[in-house]
Amino acid sequence: MLEIKTPKTHKAKRALEKRAPKLVENAKKTLILHGTKTSNVLNAVLAQIYHLKKGLAVKFSRRNDKIQPFEITGQTSLEFFSLKTDCSLFVFGSHSKKRPNNLILGRMYDHHIYDLVEVGVENFKPIESFKYDKNIAPRQGSKPLFAFIGELFETVDELKHLKEVLLDHFRGEVVENLNLTGVDRVYVCTAISSSTVLFKHCAVRLKKSGTSIPRIELVEVGPSMDLVIRRHRLPYEDVKKVAMKTAQTQPKKSGRCSEVACGLLKSGSVDGLVFSCTTQATRSCGLVATRNCGLEAACSCGLETTYSCGLVATRPQLRSGGLIAVGAWQFSVFAVCCQIETGSRFVDSLSNCIVM
């Protein structure tokens, strides 16, 4: 565990505020690491991934023999590096006889490993092996598009998981608006089988089409590789529940009146008249009344409500809390239009009443 220290300089304070949780998070950075042993192919793959994510990636050149993401004992160093570099994504490369050209893609939550996907790299082609017009080369930091081809991405659990991880690793910054001329790259992922995905990086070329919408052509610019899924680990349910929790952006609705139309309030399946006050409302014979007002209601039929023992009040008397009793007279109130207010006042106005 790291010791929590209070910042002593303004620069350290700004750095801690930058890392603090926010409603709108910063762009996710990727940590790229080497294992105990790596091949030339894997070194080139890690270098190409760093090139694609330049500006949002941190690459370590030293070999790490204590990191084993799938083992609990081998996660401590990885989580420590994630905390020091403020990276929520990581790519770990290793090579062995059992798992040659092995690549592990993972995500972090609160600088602890969230989920993992292990793939093997085959048929790798670097950027230098592709010939194209350099004027259409994708710019650094541009927003990419994704194309996932194949229905296996929706039916196979391993491919669904790999799809989520690839989106998080290469999506870049989250934006609300996008200019068409700024879209200059596409990541094309094709599901060849239930365990193999063809990963390609293409540049976008816009050509005239005779209409306002240009014609789009894709030019492969590399890198290109086959990703063979080997192992994957989904997030734990309790961790996933906490990680998916969003901040409350809207105020909670009050438990009092929410729908008022012409003085009639629908409470459950019952239509009735409401007189708002600070105490909790009580139901009596299908009508909603307040405890303070002392109203007792009989049956209600549609828009016409009959009181066997009602109370009539005028505006000044309602504001002062006074009520005039009618006794046992039967009367009907039709289309009572009133404005309801919650708080200390009962009713702001009571008008347009027809007493029969």
Side-chain angles (χ1 to χ4, degrees), residues 90-155:
F90 71 90
V91 178
F92 179 77
S94 61
H95 178 75
S96 63
K97 185 177 180 181
K98 184 179 181 181
R99 296 186 179 93
N101 299 328
N102 198 51
L103 205 64
I104 299 178
L105 309 174
R107 296 183 287 182
M108 295 281 190
Y109 173 71
D110 195 20
H111 301 294
H112 296 284
I113 292 180
Y114 181 72
D115 60 352
L116 298 167
V117 176
E118 185 183 61
V119 296
V121 178
E122 298 179 357
N123 303 324
F124 173 71
K125 296 180 182 179
I127 297 177
E128 295 77 18
S129 62
F130 293 90
K131 296 181 179 180
Y132 56 91
D133 185 6
K134 301 302 179 182
N135 293 327
I136 65 171
R139 296 182 296 272
Q140 178 182 339
S142 61
K143 187 70 175 177
L145 296 179
F146 285 85
F148 291 92
I149 303 173
E151 59 183 11
L152 293 176
F153 282 111
E154 305 297 330
T155 57

Short mmCIF file of all heavy atoms in Angstrom, two decimals, residues 90-155:
data_model
loop_
_atom_site.label_atom_id
_atom_site.label_comp_id
_atom_site.label_asym_id
_atom_site.label_seq_id
_atom_site.Cartn_x
_atom_site.Cartn_y
_atom_site.Cartn_z
N PHE A 90 -3.72 -1.19 -20.10
CA PHE A 90 -2.34 -1.68 -20.23
C PHE A 90 -2.27 -2.75 -21.31
O PHE A 90 -3.26 -3.45 -21.59
CB PHE A 90 -1.81 -2.22 -18.89
CG PHE A 90 -2.42 -3.52 -18.44
CD1 PHE A 90 -1.86 -4.73 -18.82
CD2 PHE A 90 -3.55 -3.52 -17.65
CE1 PHE A 90 -2.41 -5.93 -18.41
CE2 PHE A 90 -4.12 -4.71 -17.23
CZ PHE A 90 -3.55 -5.92 -17.61
N VAL A 91 -1.07 -2.85 -21.91
CA VAL A 91 -0.75 -3.89 -22.89
C VAL A 91 0.54 -4.53 -22.43
O VAL A 91 1.57 -3.85 -22.28
CB VAL A 91 -0.61 -3.31 -24.30
CG1 VAL A 91 -0.23 -4.42 -25.28
CG2 VAL A 91 -1.87 -2.62 -24.75
N PHE A 92 0.51 -5.84 -22.21
CA PHE A 92 1.67 -6.56 -21.69
C PHE A 92 2.06 -7.64 -22.70
O PHE A 92 1.22 -8.47 -23.09
CB PHE A 92 1.33 -7.19 -20.34
CG PHE A 92 2.45 -7.97 -19.72
CD1 PHE A 92 3.51 -7.33 -19.11
CD2 PHE A 92 2.45 -9.36 -19.76
CE1 PHE A 92 4.54 -8.05 -18.53
CE2 PHE A 92 3.48 -10.08 -19.19
CZ PHE A 92 4.53 -9.42 -18.58
N GLY A 93 3.33 -7.62 -23.13
CA GLY A 93 3.81 -8.58 -24.11
C GLY A 93 4.83 -9.54 -23.53
O GLY A 93 5.72 -9.13 -22.77
N SER A 94 4.69 -10.83 -23.86
CA SER A 94 5.63 -11.85 -23.40
C SER A 94 5.72 -12.93 -24.46
O SER A 94 4.85 -13.06 -25.33
CB SER A 94 5.18 -12.44 -22.05
OG SER A 94 3.91 -13.06 -22.18
N HIS A 95 6.79 -13.73 -24.36
CA HIS A 95 7.03 -14.78 -25.35
C HIS A 95 7.58 -16.01 -24.63
O HIS A 95 8.51 -15.92 -23.82
CB HIS A 95 8.03 -14.30 -26.41
CG HIS A 95 8.36 -15.32 -27.44
ND1 HIS A 95 7.50 -15.67 -28.45
CD2 HIS A 95 9.47 -16.08 -27.61
CE1 HIS A 95 8.07 -16.59 -29.21
NE2 HIS A 95 9.27 -16.86 -28.72
N SER A 96 6.97 -17.17 -24.91
CA SER A 96 7.44 -18.44 -24.34
C SER A 96 7.11 -19.55 -25.33
O SER A 96 6.40 -19.34 -26.32
CB SER A 96 6.78 -18.70 -22.98
OG SER A 96 5.38 -18.84 -23.12
N LYS A 97 7.64 -20.72 -25.03
CA LYS A 97 7.38 -21.86 -25.91
C LYS A 97 5.92 -22.27 -25.85
O LYS A 97 5.33 -22.69 -26.86
CB LYS A 97 8.29 -23.03 -25.50
CG LYS A 97 8.18 -24.23 -26.41
CD LYS A 97 9.16 -25.31 -25.99
CE LYS A 97 9.06 -26.53 -26.92
NZ LYS A 97 10.01 -27.61 -26.51
N LYS A 98 5.32 -22.17 -24.69
CA LYS A 98 3.91 -22.54 -24.54
C LYS A 98 2.98 -21.52 -25.17
O LYS A 98 1.97 -21.87 -25.80
CB LYS A 98 3.59 -22.70 -23.05
CG LYS A 98 2.18 -23.18 -22.77
CD LYS A 98 1.96 -23.34 -21.26
CE LYS A 98 0.54 -23.85 -20.98
NZ LYS A 98 0.32 -23.99 -19.50
N ARG A 99 3.31 -20.22 -25.01
CA ARG A 99 2.48 -19.14 -25.56
C ARG A 99 3.38 -18.18 -26.32
O ARG A 99 3.79 -17.14 -25.79
CB ARG A 99 1.72 -18.41 -24.45
CG ARG A 99 0.71 -19.29 -23.72
CD ARG A 99 -0.09 -18.45 -22.73
NE ARG A 99 -1.07 -19.28 -22.04
CZ ARG A 99 -0.85 -19.88 -20.87
NH1 ARG A 99 0.33 -19.74 -20.27
NH2 ARG A 99 -1.79 -20.60 -20.31
N PRO A 100 3.68 -18.47 -27.60
CA PRO A 100 4.56 -17.57 -28.38
C PRO A 100 3.81 -16.29 -28.77
O PRO A 100 2.60 -16.30 -29.03
CB PRO A 100 4.92 -18.41 -29.59
CG PRO A 100 3.79 -19.38 -29.74
CD PRO A 100 3.31 -19.67 -28.36
N ASN A 101 4.57 -15.19 -28.82
CA ASN A 101 4.03 -13.89 -29.23
C ASN A 101 2.72 -13.59 -28.50
O ASN A 101 1.68 -13.33 -29.11
CB ASN A 101 3.83 -13.85 -30.75
CG ASN A 101 5.12 -14.04 -31.51
OD1 ASN A 101 6.20 -13.64 -31.05
ND2 ASN A 101 5.05 -14.68 -32.66
N ASN A 102 2.82 -13.61 -27.19
CA ASN A 102 1.63 -13.46 -26.36
C ASN A 102 1.41 -11.99 -26.01
O ASN A 102 2.33 -11.27 -25.62
CB ASN A 102 1.80 -14.28 -25.07
CG ASN A 102 0.48 -14.54 -24.39
OD1 ASN A 102 -0.47 -15.00 -25.01
ND2 ASN A 102 0.40 -14.23 -23.11
N LEU A 103 0.15 -11.56 -26.14
CA LEU A 103 -0.23 -10.18 -25.86
C LEU A 103 -1.42 -10.18 -24.92
O LEU A 103 -2.43 -10.84 -25.19
CB LEU A 103 -0.59 -9.47 -27.17
CG LEU A 103 -0.44 -7.94 -27.22
CD1 LEU A 103 1.00 -7.53 -27.04
CD2 LEU A 103 -0.99 -7.41 -28.54
N ILE A 104 -1.31 -9.45 -23.81
CA ILE A 104 -2.39 -9.37 -22.83
C ILE A 104 -2.91 -7.93 -22.80
O ILE A 104 -2.15 -6.99 -22.53
CB ILE A 104 -1.92 -9.79 -21.42
CG1 ILE A 104 -1.44 -11.24 -21.44
CG2 ILE A 104 -3.05 -9.63 -20.41
CD1 ILE A 104 -0.91 -11.73 -20.10
N LEU A 105 -4.19 -7.76 -23.09
CA LEU A 105 -4.86 -6.46 -23.04
C LEU A 105 -5.73 -6.43 -21.80
O LEU A 105 -6.50 -7.37 -21.55
CB LEU A 105 -5.71 -6.23 -24.29
CG LEU A 105 -5.02 -6.44 -25.65
CD1 LEU A 105 -6.03 -6.31 -26.77
CD2 LEU A 105 -3.90 -5.45 -25.83
N GLY A 106 -5.61 -5.38 -21.02
CA GLY A 106 -6.36 -5.31 -19.78
C GLY A 106 -6.85 -3.91 -19.48
O GLY A 106 -6.35 -2.91 -20.01
N ARG A 107 -7.85 -3.86 -18.60
CA ARG A 107 -8.40 -2.58 -18.12
C ARG A 107 -8.30 -2.54 -16.60
O ARG A 107 -8.35 -3.57 -15.93
CB ARG A 107 -9.86 -2.42 -18.57
CG ARG A 107 -10.03 -2.34 -20.07
CD ARG A 107 -11.46 -2.11 -20.48
NE ARG A 107 -12.29 -3.28 -20.29
CZ ARG A 107 -13.59 -3.34 -20.61
NH1 ARG A 107 -14.19 -2.29 -21.11
NH2 ARG A 107 -14.28 -4.45 -20.42
N MET A 108 -8.21 -1.31 -16.08
CA MET A 108 -8.08 -1.08 -14.65
C MET A 108 -9.31 -0.35 -14.13
O MET A 108 -9.92 0.44 -14.85
CB MET A 108 -6.83 -0.24 -14.35
CG MET A 108 -5.52 -0.92 -14.67
SD MET A 108 -5.07 -2.11 -13.40
CE MET A 108 -3.38 -2.48 -13.90
N TYR A 109 -9.63 -0.63 -12.87
CA TYR A 109 -10.61 0.18 -12.15
C TYR A 109 -10.04 0.50 -10.78
O TYR A 109 -9.68 -0.41 -10.02
CB TYR A 109 -11.95 -0.56 -11.99
CG TYR A 109 -12.91 0.19 -11.10
CD1 TYR A 109 -13.52 1.37 -11.54
CD2 TYR A 109 -13.20 -0.26 -9.81
CE1 TYR A 109 -14.37 2.06 -10.72
CE2 TYR A 109 -14.07 0.43 -8.99
CZ TYR A 109 -14.66 1.59 -9.46
OH TYR A 109 -15.50 2.29 -8.63
N ASP A 110 -9.92 1.78 -10.49
CA ASP A 110 -9.32 2.25 -9.24
C ASP A 110 -7.91 1.68 -9.10
O ASP A 110 -7.48 1.30 -8.01
CB ASP A 110 -10.20 1.86 -8.05
CG ASP A 110 -9.82 2.62 -6.79
OD1 ASP A 110 -9.19 3.67 -6.91
OD2 ASP A 110 -10.16 2.14 -5.68
N HIS A 111 -7.21 1.58 -10.25
CA HIS A 111 -5.83 1.08 -10.34
C HIS A 111 -5.71 -0.36 -9.84
O HIS A 111 -4.67 -0.76 -9.31
CB HIS A 111 -4.88 2.00 -9.56
CG HIS A 111 -4.88 3.41 -10.07
ND1 HIS A 111 -4.41 3.75 -11.33
CD2 HIS A 111 -5.33 4.57 -9.51
CE1 HIS A 111 -4.54 5.05 -11.51
NE2 HIS A 111 -5.09 5.58 -10.43
N HIS A 112 -6.76 -1.13 -10.02
CA HIS A 112 -6.74 -2.57 -9.80
C HIS A 112 -7.27 -3.24 -11.07
O HIS A 112 -8.12 -2.67 -11.78
CB HIS A 112 -7.60 -2.97 -8.59
CG HIS A 112 -7.10 -2.43 -7.29
ND1 HIS A 112 -6.00 -2.97 -6.64
CD2 HIS A 112 -7.53 -1.41 -6.51
CE1 HIS A 112 -5.78 -2.30 -5.52
NE2 HIS A 112 -6.70 -1.34 -5.42
N ILE A 113 -6.78 -4.44 -11.36
CA ILE A 113 -7.13 -5.10 -12.61
C ILE A 113 -8.63 -5.38 -12.65
O ILE A 113 -9.19 -5.99 -11.74
CB ILE A 113 -6.33 -6.40 -12.78
CG1 ILE A 113 -4.85 -6.07 -13.00
CG2 ILE A 113 -6.86 -7.22 -13.95
CD1 ILE A 113 -3.97 -7.27 -13.17
N TYR A 114 -9.26 -4.91 -13.73
CA TYR A 114 -10.70 -5.07 -13.91
C TYR A 114 -11.03 -6.31 -14.74
O TYR A 114 -11.79 -7.17 -14.31
CB TYR A 114 -11.26 -3.81 -14.58
CG TYR A 114 -12.75 -3.83 -14.82
CD1 TYR A 114 -13.64 -3.70 -13.76
CD2 TYR A 114 -13.26 -3.95 -16.11
CE1 TYR A 114 -15.00 -3.70 -13.98
CE2 TYR A 114 -14.62 -3.95 -16.33
CZ TYR A 114 -15.49 -3.82 -15.28
OH TYR A 114 -16.85 -3.83 -15.50
N ASP A 115 -10.45 -6.42 -15.93
CA ASP A 115 -10.64 -7.61 -16.77
C ASP A 115 -9.42 -7.78 -17.67
O ASP A 115 -8.60 -6.87 -17.82
CB ASP A 115 -11.93 -7.53 -17.59
CG ASP A 115 -11.95 -6.33 -18.53
OD1 ASP A 115 -11.02 -5.49 -18.42
OD2 ASP A 115 -12.87 -6.22 -19.35
N LEU A 116 -9.31 -8.99 -18.28
CA LEU A 116 -8.13 -9.34 -19.07
C LEU A 116 -8.55 -10.12 -20.31
O LEU A 116 -9.51 -10.90 -20.27
CB LEU A 116 -7.15 -10.19 -18.24
CG LEU A 116 -6.53 -9.57 -16.98
CD1 LEU A 116 -5.86 -10.65 -16.15
CD2 LEU A 116 -5.55 -8.49 -17.36
N VAL A 117 -7.80 -9.91 -21.39
CA VAL A 117 -7.94 -10.70 -22.62
C VAL A 117 -6.54 -11.03 -23.11
O VAL A 117 -5.72 -10.12 -23.32
CB VAL A 117 -8.73 -9.96 -23.71
CG1 VAL A 117 -8.76 -10.78 -24.98
CG2 VAL A 117 -10.15 -9.65 -23.26
N GLU A 118 -6.27 -12.31 -23.31
CA GLU A 118 -4.97 -12.76 -23.79
C GLU A 118 -5.12 -13.26 -25.23
O GLU A 118 -5.98 -14.10 -25.52
CB GLU A 118 -4.43 -13.89 -22.90
CG GLU A 118 -3.03 -14.33 -23.28
CD GLU A 118 -2.57 -15.48 -22.41
OE1 GLU A 118 -3.23 -16.55 -22.44
OE2 GLU A 118 -1.57 -15.32 -21.70
N VAL A 119 -4.28 -12.73 -26.13
CA VAL A 119 -4.33 -13.10 -27.54
C VAL A 119 -2.93 -13.44 -28.02
O VAL A 119 -1.92 -12.96 -27.46
CB VAL A 119 -4.93 -11.97 -28.41
CG1 VAL A 119 -6.37 -11.70 -28.04
CG2 VAL A 119 -4.11 -10.69 -28.29
N GLY A 120 -2.88 -14.26 -29.06
CA GLY A 120 -1.62 -14.57 -29.73
C GLY A 120 -1.56 -13.82 -31.05
O GLY A 120 -2.56 -13.73 -31.77
N VAL A 121 -0.39 -13.28 -31.39
CA VAL A 121 -0.20 -12.48 -32.60
C VAL A 121 0.35 -13.36 -33.71
O VAL A 121 1.37 -14.03 -33.53
CB VAL A 121 0.74 -11.29 -32.34
CG1 VAL A 121 0.96 -10.49 -33.61
CG2 VAL A 121 0.18 -10.40 -31.23
N GLU A 122 -0.34 -13.36 -34.84
CA GLU A 122 0.09 -14.13 -36.01
C GLU A 122 -0.02 -13.25 -37.26
O GLU A 122 -0.83 -12.32 -37.30
CB GLU A 122 -0.77 -15.39 -36.19
CG GLU A 122 -0.67 -16.39 -35.03
CD GLU A 122 -1.54 -17.60 -35.25
OE1 GLU A 122 -2.27 -17.63 -36.27
OE2 GLU A 122 -1.52 -18.52 -34.40
N ASN A 123 0.79 -13.57 -38.26
CA ASN A 123 0.76 -12.87 -39.57
C ASN A 123 0.87 -11.36 -39.39
O ASN A 123 0.09 -10.58 -39.96
CB ASN A 123 -0.50 -13.23 -40.35
CG ASN A 123 -0.66 -14.72 -40.58
OD1 ASN A 123 0.32 -15.43 -40.77
ND2 ASN A 123 -1.90 -15.20 -40.54
N PHE A 124 1.85 -10.94 -38.62
CA PHE A 124 2.00 -9.51 -38.35
C PHE A 124 2.68 -8.81 -39.52
O PHE A 124 3.69 -9.29 -40.06
CB PHE A 124 2.82 -9.31 -37.07
CG PHE A 124 3.17 -7.89 -36.80
CD1 PHE A 124 2.20 -6.98 -36.41
CD2 PHE A 124 4.48 -7.44 -36.96
CE1 PHE A 124 2.52 -5.65 -36.16
CE2 PHE A 124 4.81 -6.12 -36.70
CZ PHE A 124 3.83 -5.23 -36.31
N LYS A 125 2.13 -7.64 -39.90
CA LYS A 125 2.72 -6.80 -40.95
C LYS A 125 2.86 -5.39 -40.40
O LYS A 125 1.85 -4.75 -40.04
CB LYS A 125 1.84 -6.78 -42.20
CG LYS A 125 1.70 -8.14 -42.87
CD LYS A 125 0.81 -8.04 -44.10
CE LYS A 125 0.63 -9.40 -44.75
NZ LYS A 125 -0.27 -9.31 -45.94
N PRO A 126 4.07 -4.85 -40.31
CA PRO A 126 4.26 -3.52 -39.74
C PRO A 126 3.86 -2.42 -40.73
O PRO A 126 3.57 -2.67 -41.90
CB PRO A 126 5.76 -3.47 -39.42
CG PRO A 126 6.36 -4.40 -40.42
CD PRO A 126 5.36 -5.50 -40.65
N ILE A 127 3.89 -1.19 -40.24
CA ILE A 127 3.51 -0.04 -41.07
C ILE A 127 4.48 0.12 -42.24
O ILE A 127 4.07 0.50 -43.35
CB ILE A 127 3.49 1.24 -40.20
CG1 ILE A 127 2.42 1.13 -39.12
CG2 ILE A 127 3.25 2.49 -41.05
CD1 ILE A 127 2.38 2.31 -38.17
N GLU A 128 5.75 -0.19 -42.03
CA GLU A 128 6.76 0.03 -43.07
C GLU A 128 6.56 -0.87 -44.28
O GLU A 128 7.08 -0.56 -45.37
CB GLU A 128 8.16 -0.21 -42.49
CG GLU A 128 8.58 0.78 -41.41
CD GLU A 128 7.92 0.50 -40.06
OE1 GLU A 128 7.41 -0.62 -39.88
OE2 GLU A 128 7.91 1.42 -39.21
N SER A 129 5.82 -1.95 -44.15
CA SER A 129 5.62 -2.87 -45.28
C SER A 129 4.51 -2.44 -46.22
O SER A 129 4.30 -3.08 -47.26
CB SER A 129 5.32 -4.28 -44.75
OG SER A 129 4.11 -4.28 -44.01
N PHE A 130 3.79 -1.36 -45.91
CA PHE A 130 2.69 -0.89 -46.76
C PHE A 130 3.14 0.35 -47.54
O PHE A 130 3.79 1.25 -46.99
CB PHE A 130 1.46 -0.55 -45.92
CG PHE A 130 0.82 -1.74 -45.25
CD1 PHE A 130 1.23 -2.15 -43.99
CD2 PHE A 130 -0.18 -2.47 -45.89
CE1 PHE A 130 0.63 -3.24 -43.37
CE2 PHE A 130 -0.76 -3.56 -45.28
CZ PHE A 130 -0.35 -3.95 -44.02
N LYS A 131 2.78 0.39 -48.81
CA LYS A 131 3.11 1.51 -49.68
C LYS A 131 1.81 2.26 -50.01
O LYS A 131 0.85 1.68 -50.52
CB LYS A 131 3.77 1.02 -50.96
CG LYS A 131 5.13 0.34 -50.72
CD LYS A 131 5.76 -0.10 -52.02
CE LYS A 131 7.13 -0.75 -51.77
NZ LYS A 131 7.76 -1.19 -53.04
N TYR A 132 1.81 3.56 -49.72
CA TYR A 132 0.63 4.39 -49.97
C TYR A 132 1.08 5.84 -50.03
O TYR A 132 2.24 6.18 -49.72
CB TYR A 132 -0.41 4.19 -48.87
CG TYR A 132 0.10 4.46 -47.46
CD1 TYR A 132 -0.01 5.72 -46.89
CD2 TYR A 132 0.73 3.47 -46.73
CE1 TYR A 132 0.47 5.98 -45.62
CE2 TYR A 132 1.22 3.71 -45.46
CZ TYR A 132 1.09 4.96 -44.91
OH TYR A 132 1.59 5.22 -43.66
N ASP A 133 0.17 6.70 -50.44
CA ASP A 133 0.46 8.13 -50.50
C ASP A 133 0.56 8.68 -49.08
O ASP A 133 -0.39 8.58 -48.30
CB ASP A 133 -0.67 8.84 -51.28
CG ASP A 133 -0.36 10.32 -51.48
OD1 ASP A 133 0.76 10.74 -51.13
OD2 ASP A 133 -1.25 11.03 -51.99
N LYS A 134 1.69 9.25 -48.74
CA LYS A 134 1.92 9.73 -47.38
C LYS A 134 1.01 10.91 -47.02
O LYS A 134 0.89 11.25 -45.84
CB LYS A 134 3.39 10.13 -47.20
CG LYS A 134 4.37 8.99 -47.46
CD LYS A 134 4.10 7.80 -46.54
CE LYS A 134 5.08 6.66 -46.81
NZ LYS A 134 4.81 5.46 -45.97
N ASN A 135 0.38 11.53 -48.02
CA ASN A 135 -0.50 12.66 -47.72
C ASN A 135 -1.78 12.23 -47.03
O ASN A 135 -2.46 13.06 -46.40
CB ASN A 135 -0.84 13.41 -49.01
CG ASN A 135 0.38 14.09 -49.61
OD1 ASN A 135 1.27 14.54 -48.88
ND2 ASN A 135 0.44 14.15 -50.94
N ILE A 136 -2.13 10.95 -47.16
CA ILE A 136 -3.37 10.46 -46.53
C ILE A 136 -3.08 9.73 -45.23
O ILE A 136 -3.98 9.11 -44.65
CB ILE A 136 -4.15 9.54 -47.48
CG1 ILE A 136 -3.34 8.26 -47.76
CG2 ILE A 136 -4.53 10.23 -48.76
CD1 ILE A 136 -4.13 7.20 -48.51
N ALA A 137 -1.84 9.82 -44.76
CA ALA A 137 -1.49 9.15 -43.50
C ALA A 137 -2.29 9.75 -42.35
O ALA A 137 -2.45 10.97 -42.27
CB ALA A 137 0.00 9.26 -43.23
N PRO A 138 -2.84 8.93 -41.46
CA PRO A 138 -3.61 9.45 -40.33
C PRO A 138 -2.78 10.36 -39.44
O PRO A 138 -1.60 10.11 -39.20
CB PRO A 138 -4.06 8.20 -39.58
CG PRO A 138 -3.98 7.09 -40.59
CD PRO A 138 -2.83 7.45 -41.48
N ARG A 139 -3.41 11.42 -38.95
CA ARG A 139 -2.73 12.36 -38.08
C ARG A 139 -2.74 11.87 -36.64
O ARG A 139 -3.63 11.12 -36.23
CB ARG A 139 -3.40 13.74 -38.15
CG ARG A 139 -3.31 14.39 -39.52
CD ARG A 139 -3.96 15.76 -39.50
NE ARG A 139 -5.39 15.66 -39.23
CZ ARG A 139 -6.31 15.48 -40.16
NH1 ARG A 139 -5.94 15.36 -41.43
NH2 ARG A 139 -7.58 15.40 -39.83
N GLN A 140 -1.74 12.30 -35.89
CA GLN A 140 -1.64 11.90 -34.50
C GLN A 140 -2.78 12.50 -33.68
O GLN A 140 -3.07 13.69 -33.77
CB GLN A 140 -0.30 12.35 -33.91
CG GLN A 140 -0.12 12.01 -32.44
CD GLN A 140 1.19 12.52 -31.89
OE1 GLN A 140 2.12 12.77 -32.65
NE2 GLN A 140 1.27 12.69 -30.59
N GLY A 141 -3.44 11.66 -32.88
CA GLY A 141 -4.52 12.11 -32.02
C GLY A 141 -5.87 12.23 -32.68
O GLY A 141 -6.83 12.69 -32.05
N SER A 142 -5.99 11.83 -33.96
CA SER A 142 -7.29 11.93 -34.64
C SER A 142 -8.25 10.88 -34.12
O SER A 142 -7.85 9.82 -33.64
CB SER A 142 -7.10 11.78 -36.16
OG SER A 142 -6.55 10.51 -36.46
N LYS A 143 -9.55 11.18 -34.23
CA LYS A 143 -10.59 10.28 -33.73
C LYS A 143 -10.81 9.14 -34.73
O LYS A 143 -11.10 9.39 -35.91
CB LYS A 143 -11.89 11.06 -33.54
CG LYS A 143 -13.00 10.28 -32.88
CD LYS A 143 -12.70 10.00 -31.43
CE LYS A 143 -13.89 9.32 -30.75
NZ LYS A 143 -13.60 8.98 -29.35
N PRO A 144 -10.70 7.87 -34.30
CA PRO A 144 -10.86 6.76 -35.24
C PRO A 144 -12.30 6.27 -35.32
O PRO A 144 -13.12 6.54 -34.43
CB PRO A 144 -9.96 5.68 -34.65
CG PRO A 144 -10.05 5.91 -33.17
CD PRO A 144 -10.22 7.39 -32.99
N LEU A 145 -12.59 5.55 -36.38
CA LEU A 145 -13.84 4.82 -36.52
C LEU A 145 -13.52 3.33 -36.39
O LEU A 145 -12.40 2.88 -36.64
CB LEU A 145 -14.49 5.09 -37.88
CG LEU A 145 -14.95 6.53 -38.15
CD1 LEU A 145 -15.57 6.63 -39.54
CD2 LEU A 145 -15.95 7.00 -37.11
N PHE A 146 -14.55 2.55 -36.02
CA PHE A 146 -14.41 1.10 -35.87
C PHE A 146 -15.41 0.38 -36.76
O PHE A 146 -16.56 0.83 -36.90
CB PHE A 146 -14.62 0.67 -34.41
CG PHE A 146 -13.47 0.98 -33.51
CD1 PHE A 146 -13.35 2.22 -32.92
CD2 PHE A 146 -12.49 0.03 -33.24
CE1 PHE A 146 -12.29 2.52 -32.09
CE2 PHE A 146 -11.44 0.32 -32.40
CZ PHE A 146 -11.34 1.56 -31.83
N ALA A 147 -14.97 -0.71 -37.33
CA ALA A 147 -15.85 -1.57 -38.12
C ALA A 147 -15.63 -3.01 -37.66
O ALA A 147 -14.55 -3.57 -37.89
CB ALA A 147 -15.56 -1.42 -39.62
N PHE A 148 -16.65 -3.57 -37.02
CA PHE A 148 -16.59 -4.98 -36.58
C PHE A 148 -17.45 -5.80 -37.54
O PHE A 148 -18.68 -5.66 -37.56
CB PHE A 148 -17.10 -5.11 -35.15
CG PHE A 148 -16.19 -4.49 -34.13
CD1 PHE A 148 -16.37 -3.17 -33.72
CD2 PHE A 148 -15.13 -5.20 -33.58
CE1 PHE A 148 -15.52 -2.58 -32.80
CE2 PHE A 148 -14.29 -4.63 -32.65
CZ PHE A 148 -14.48 -3.31 -32.27
N ILE A 149 -16.79 -6.64 -38.31
CA ILE A 149 -17.45 -7.40 -39.37
C ILE A 149 -17.61 -8.84 -38.90
O ILE A 149 -16.63 -9.49 -38.51
CB ILE A 149 -16.63 -7.34 -40.68
CG1 ILE A 149 -16.42 -5.87 -41.10
CG2 ILE A 149 -17.32 -8.12 -41.79
CD1 ILE A 149 -15.49 -5.71 -42.28
N GLY A 150 -18.84 -9.34 -38.95
CA GLY A 150 -19.11 -10.71 -38.54
C GLY A 150 -20.07 -10.76 -37.37
O GLY A 150 -19.91 -10.03 -36.39
N GLU A 151 -21.06 -11.64 -37.49
CA GLU A 151 -22.05 -11.77 -36.42
C GLU A 151 -21.51 -12.51 -35.20
O GLU A 151 -22.16 -12.54 -34.15
CB GLU A 151 -23.29 -12.49 -36.94
CG GLU A 151 -23.02 -13.88 -37.47
CD GLU A 151 -24.26 -14.55 -38.04
OE1 GLU A 151 -25.27 -13.86 -38.21
OE2 GLU A 151 -24.19 -15.77 -38.31
N LEU A 152 -20.31 -13.08 -35.32
CA LEU A 152 -19.72 -13.77 -34.17
C LEU A 152 -19.40 -12.80 -33.03
O LEU A 152 -19.30 -13.21 -31.88
CB LEU A 152 -18.44 -14.51 -34.60
CG LEU A 152 -18.63 -15.69 -35.56
CD1 LEU A 152 -17.28 -16.25 -35.98
CD2 LEU A 152 -19.47 -16.78 -34.92
N PHE A 153 -19.25 -11.51 -33.35
CA PHE A 153 -19.00 -10.52 -32.30
C PHE A 153 -20.22 -10.35 -31.39
O PHE A 153 -20.10 -9.78 -30.31
CB PHE A 153 -18.65 -9.17 -32.93
CG PHE A 153 -17.24 -9.08 -33.42
CD1 PHE A 153 -16.96 -9.03 -34.77
CD2 PHE A 153 -16.18 -9.07 -32.53
CE1 PHE A 153 -15.66 -8.95 -35.23
CE2 PHE A 153 -14.87 -8.99 -32.98
CZ PHE A 153 -14.60 -8.93 -34.33
N GLU A 154 -21.39 -10.82 -31.82
CA GLU A 154 -22.60 -10.70 -31.02
C GLU A 154 -23.01 -12.01 -30.36
O GLU A 154 -23.87 -12.02 -29.49
CB GLU A 154 -23.76 -10.19 -31.89
CG GLU A 154 -23.47 -8.89 -32.61
CD GLU A 154 -23.22 -7.74 -31.66
OE1 GLU A 154 -23.79 -7.77 -30.55
OE2 GLU A 154 -22.46 -6.82 -32.02
N THR A 155 -22.42 -13.12 -30.79
CA THR A 155 -22.85 -14.43 -30.28
C THR A 155 -21.79 -15.12 -29.42
O THR A 155 -22.15 -15.86 -28.50
CB THR A 155 -23.22 -15.34 -31.46
OG1 THR A 155 -22.11 -15.46 -32.35
CG2 THR A 155 -24.42 -14.78 -32.23
#
